[in-house]
Amino acid sequence: MYDKNYISITPSEVIEYLYCPRFIYFMSYLKIPQHESNRFKVIMGREVHKTKANINKNYLRKKIGVKDKFIDQKLYSKKYKIHGIVDEVLFLEDGSAASLDYKFAKYKDKTFSTHKYQAVMYSMLIEENFNIRVDKAFIVYVRSKNLLKEFKIDKNQYSKVKEIIDEIIQIIKKGYFPKRTKYKRRCPDCTYRNICIE
Amino acid sequence: MLVWFIYDIVEDKIRKRLSDKAIEQGLYRVQMSVFLGNIDNNLLDELVVYAEEMINPDEDSVYVFPMCQDDFRKVELLGQAFDKAMINDEISSLFL
């Protein structure tokens, strides 16, 4: 039976939590929409995802040892209480699998921790749903001429993600008002800046 | 970040859209096609992506020049000058 107390978290919510924990309070507890679709970069990013999902459906990145792939794969994990759509699930020649995510962004000499956490969550989803080993993840930076970056999945991050998920669930269930991010320079660009208090 | 946003665009409609976007992102109009202001990196990036989509690269040009505070202090203004403090977000409220 459907349990209304059951909460499942998406990687986007974790990213937003990492940006500022209050995002979750406003968005998922008070249910105030952030109207992110008014943002031009978000619109462009969604267009890119649509295009990428429709062109070269059968193309396999052989250079990185891909032998099969699933596009726009919806996955759900009961164990970790997460769900999400992976842009591409890649099955590699070495018997492992990896997630591939398209980012409408430029590569700035480092992979942001938010992107890494997202990839870790995708790996958790892939491992559980396909019962397969996941050692690495890929990100394609569309605005850097589709630059492909590979990074290792650190299993220690699984427990960190689990901690974050538990905190998010606490905020949503109990409506506790979290402290805002310590990085004040994020505030001017936040969609909730008008209703957030000091 | 303090930036100059300057463009030369042939088509009126596109020019208007870009100027509206520059103001929406918090820049001040210094001259007809010249904007200046203290802008967050992400908002600036959005403006650049927007401009990239709008313009005709064969005819139009858009320039974004970041400027450090040291250089901004050296700016010389003659004639109908703009308010340097306002552009630099040093005035938090304006009473008219």
Side-chain angles (χ1 to χ4, degrees):
Chain A
M1 206 179 88
Y2 171 70
D3 178 7
K4 66 176 182 178
N5 290 319
Y6 191 81
I7 297 170
S8 175
I9 303 297
T10 63
S12 320
E13 282 171 312
V14 170
I15 287 179
E16 273 144 5
Y17 176 86
L18 292 169
Y19 188 82
C20 177
R22 285 202 183 158
F23 241 96
I24 301 299
Y25 179 81
F26 290 123
M27 193 176 63
S28 305
Y29 178 69
L30 294 182
K31 305 231 186 294
I32 300 169
Q34 57 158 324
H35 297 296
E36 81 273 27
S37 54
N38 293 348
R39 294 219 153 173
F40 189 73
K41 279 210 287 183
V42 175
I43 299 168
M44 288 295 292
R46 287 184 184 170
E47 286 297 314
V48 166
H49 275 85
K50 261 191 222 164
T51 328
K52 295 280 179 194
N54 286 323
I55 56 164
N56 284 338
K57 276 188 176 173
N58 299 321
Y59 169 70
L60 297 175
R61 292 172 187 268
K62 295 221 166 102
K63 263 188 190 168
I64 53 171
V66 180
K67 55 175 191 181
D68 198 9
K69 71 169 178 182
F70 287 141
I71 300 172
D72 268 352
Q73 188 65 46
K74 282 184 192 169
L75 298 172
Y76 164 70
S77 157
K78 200 173 179 180
K79 184 175 158 196
Y80 297 111
K81 295 178 187 165
I82 54 176
H83 66 280
I85 305 171
V86 189
D87 287 346
E88 285 182 21
V89 179
L90 308 176
F91 297 94
L92 308 173
E93 277 163 357
D94 64 2
S96 69
S99 66
L100 184 139
D101 199 27
Y102 290 98
K103 292 274 171 227
F104 185 67
K106 284 181 186 165
Y107 182 66
K108 295 203 172 142
D109 300 322
K110 62 170 182 179
T111 307
F112 286 104
S113 66
T114 46
H115 294 175
K116 277 189 186 158
Y117 276 112
Q118 192 177 19
V120 168
M121 289 178 78
Y122 287 151
S123 307
M124 291 156 93
L125 285 166
I126 294 169
E127 267 192 6
E128 189 178 327
N129 282 275
F130 295 98
N131 201 11
I132 193 169
R133 189 179 95 245
V134 180
D135 311 319
K136 52 189 170 187
F138 297 95
I139 293 181
V140 175
Y141 292 89
V142 175
R143 286 173 61 204
S144 290
K145 295 179 184 167
N146 289 316
L147 177 74
L148 179 82
K149 281 279 160 191
E150 174 191 322
F151 56 94
K152 278 205 164 66
I153 293 295
D154 178 5
K155 302 280 177 208
N156 296 330
Q157 284 175 318
Y158 279 25
S159 51
K160 178 73 189 153
V161 168
K162 242 187 123 358
E163 268 173 40
I164 294 171
I165 292 166
D166 288 341
E167 281 172 42
I168 293 174
I169 291 175
Q170 287 301 309
I171 297 173
I172 300 174
K173 268 192 173 166
K174 296 185 180 162
Y176 115 85
F177 191 55
K179 272 192 179 166
R180 72 164 174 206
T181 173
K182 58 181 178 185
Y183 305 106
K184 280 194 176 176
R185 45 189 293 213
R186 288 178 182 171
C187 297
D189 189 36
C190 174
T191 42
Y192 293 115
R193 65 186 175 276
N194 292 339
I195 53 171
C196 192
I197 53 168
E198 284 293 311
Chain B
M1 188 178 22
L2 203 58
V3 287
W4 291 88
F5 182 72
I6 301 161
Y7 55 73
D8 192 355
I9 290 168
V10 176
E11 215 178 301
D12 293 350
K13 236 184 207 173
I14 306 293
R15 203 165 52 237
K16 173 77 171 85
R17 275 189 203 160
L18 210 54
S19 69
D20 287 350
K21 189 75 183 172
I23 292 165
E24 188 189 316
Q25 302 298 78
L27 295 179
Y28 294 88
R29 191 168 219 152
V30 173
Q31 282 182 8
M32 286 308 280
S33 300
V34 181
F35 294 80
L36 172 63
N38 228 332
I39 186 171
D40 168 81
N41 279 347
N42 191 33
L43 293 177
L44 175 65
D45 191 40
E46 186 168 322
L47 181 62
V48 171
V49 173
Y50 188 80
E52 212 176 336
E53 273 300 299
M54 288 290 150
I55 65 163
N56 174 357
D58 297 329
E59 290 183 314
D60 305 331
S61 51
V62 172
Y63 307 126
V64 177
F65 298 118
M67 191 181 219
C68 69
Q69 287 291 343
D70 278 353
D71 282 341
F72 187 64
R73 268 179 228 119
K74 293 176 204 155
V75 167
E76 299 226 21
L77 303 169
L78 305 171
Q80 295 300 308
F82 57 82
D83 188 334
K84 280 175 85 171
M86 190 159 119
I87 301 274
N88 215 1
D89 290 342
E90 282 162 14
I91 300 173
S92 51
S93 34
L94 195 65
F95 295 97
L96 294 171

